[in-house]
Amino acid sequence: MAKRRIAILGSTGSIGTQTLDVVRQHPDLFEVDMISARSNADLLAAQAREFNVNHVAICDETRYDTLCDTLKDCDCKVWSGIGSICNLVKSDGVDIVVGAMVGFSGLRPTLAALEAGKIVALANKETLVAAGNIVTRTMREHNAVILPVDSEHSAIFQCLLAAQGNEVEKIHLTASGGPFRTWDRKTIAGARASQALKHPNWDMGAKVTIDSATMMNKGFEVIEAKWLFDIDPSRIHVVVHPESIIHSMVEFADGAVIAQMGCPDMREPIGFALSFPSRVTVGNRKLDFAAIGSLTFEEPDLDRFPCLRLAYEAIARGGNTPCALNAANEVTVAAYLKDMISFYDIARINEKCLAGMTFAANPSIEDIFETNKEIAAIANGYID
Ligand code: MG
């Protein structure tokens, strides 16, 4: 495998640091050309030094001077703002762009990387939720490639390598069920963010961990799968699988189901996206089937987890509705993390935002940005 040059958007977050951990294990296979972060200048500077990167960019322009100062004895170039990040991902010095920014903020740099025909290892599912049609169209128009980093979608992608051109009957998208899987509705209603942040299986960032607790994450993953694999949502079945050993499954016409399994560790899908079609060691634990003993499955409960129902409704309405749902959810999750609203306020406010949105059946990229802004304002109005 020729050495691959990587740009990591969101290098200080959970996916970003785990990506660097994979790179750290294979200095002969990967080198880091560029890293960016929202505001964590200290960690970003430490990463720039360790990986001897060529470019460092920080979104928060108020942190630029600090970053320059910390790195003044280094060779790397220091940048700030989303515009410079969009330029850096297009560079000839980059083969793979890891999209690990949180939320809607990942949309512009992802589109920029796709327009430059790059391989995008995409962890930032909100990009596909908000603008899946535009993102996948841009990918096709510029012969770019999206490789999924989300563990379920990496699993589906791996199962599809065995499809040999046969049509997919069904995707079984597995869900851990999150920290409140066995709690009754009344107890969940009183749950604080600190409790929701205790995910039973996966080590992830705060936003996606709350989305896991509400199961909005699984709803978004249905939308993500629809766009990544061009499959009708009616063929995507969510099944709760608390052990998180099967990362997802694909079913064919003859009833055969192919599953992808592994210990829950994000370095596995990250490593596969970076080294595809090769496989490399990533330092994770290996499965011990006898120790696991049994794998269990159950139907998701849309009454206790109304955000999953909202996601299905948003897909059914289509157009800019998933974008609106994502925008509302970014505001409500941020408010929940600050203990400003209760657990079920997330779904309640998200639903109100969908009722109040301006619908566009075929949104342009400008419409998508406008919807994001409009809904953020509506959602914030319900919180203050
Ligand atoms: Mg996932």
Side-chain angles (χ1 to χ4, degrees), residues 125 150-152 217 221:
K125 71 193 74 179
D150 207 348
S151 61
E152 295 79 0
N217 181 54
E221 288 183 354

Side-chain angles (χ1 to χ4, degrees), residues 175-183 196 198-201 209 212-215 240 242 244 305:
S176 70
F180 305 147
R181 179 179 64 89
T182 58
W183 295 24
K198 292 194 182 105
H199 196 280
N201 302 338
T209 305
S212 273
T214 63
M215 291 195 76
V240 175
S244 297
F305 302 103

Side-chain angles (χ1 to χ4, degrees), residues 123 125 149-153 173-174 202 204 208 212 217-218 221 224 247 266:
K125 71 193 74 179
V149 169
D150 207 348
S151 61
E152 295 79 0
H153 303 76
L173 191 69
T174 53
W202 293 97
M204 305 180 290
V208 66
S212 273
N217 181 54
K218 209 48 57 180
E221 288 183 354
E224 184 184 10
H247 297 154
M266 286 309 294

Side-chain angles (χ1 to χ4, degrees), residues 70-82:
T70 320
L71 290 171
K72 60 176 180 290
D73 59 323
C74 289
D75 287 338
C76 62
K77 290 206 175 67
V78 183
W79 308 80
S80 74
I82 192 81

Side-chain angles (χ1 to χ4, degrees), residues 159-228:
C159 295
L160 288 175
L161 296 175
Q164 298 283 337
N166 286 290
E167 203 189 322
V168 171
E169 193 70 22
K170 219 179 208 183
I171 286 175
H172 299 273
L173 191 69
T174 53
S176 70
F180 305 147
R181 179 179 64 89
T182 58
W183 295 24
D184 62 42
R185 203 178 196 284
K186 200 163 155 253
T187 317
I188 296 174
R192 306 292 288 257
S194 55
Q195 296 170 291
L197 284 171
K198 292 194 182 105
H199 196 280
N201 302 338
W202 293 97
D203 173 17
M204 305 180 290
K207 161 76 166 45
V208 66
T209 305
I210 300 300
D211 285 343
S212 273
T214 63
M215 291 195 76
M216 181 59 91
N217 181 54
K218 209 48 57 180
F220 284 168
E221 288 183 354
V222 172
I223 304 174
E224 184 184 10
K226 164 192 155 75
W227 293 114
L228 282 176

Side-chain angles (χ1 to χ4, degrees), residues 116-155:
K118 302 294 182 191
I119 298 169
V120 176
L122 191 65
N124 171 230
K125 71 193 74 179
E126 292 90 342
T127 285
L128 285 168
V129 172
N133 197 13
I134 294 168
V135 169
T136 49
R137 193 174 62 220
T138 306
M139 174 189 76
R140 288 190 299 272
E141 281 172 2
H142 298 273
N143 290 317
V145 173
I146 298 176
L147 293 174
V149 169
D150 207 348
S151 61
E152 295 79 0
H153 303 76
S154 175

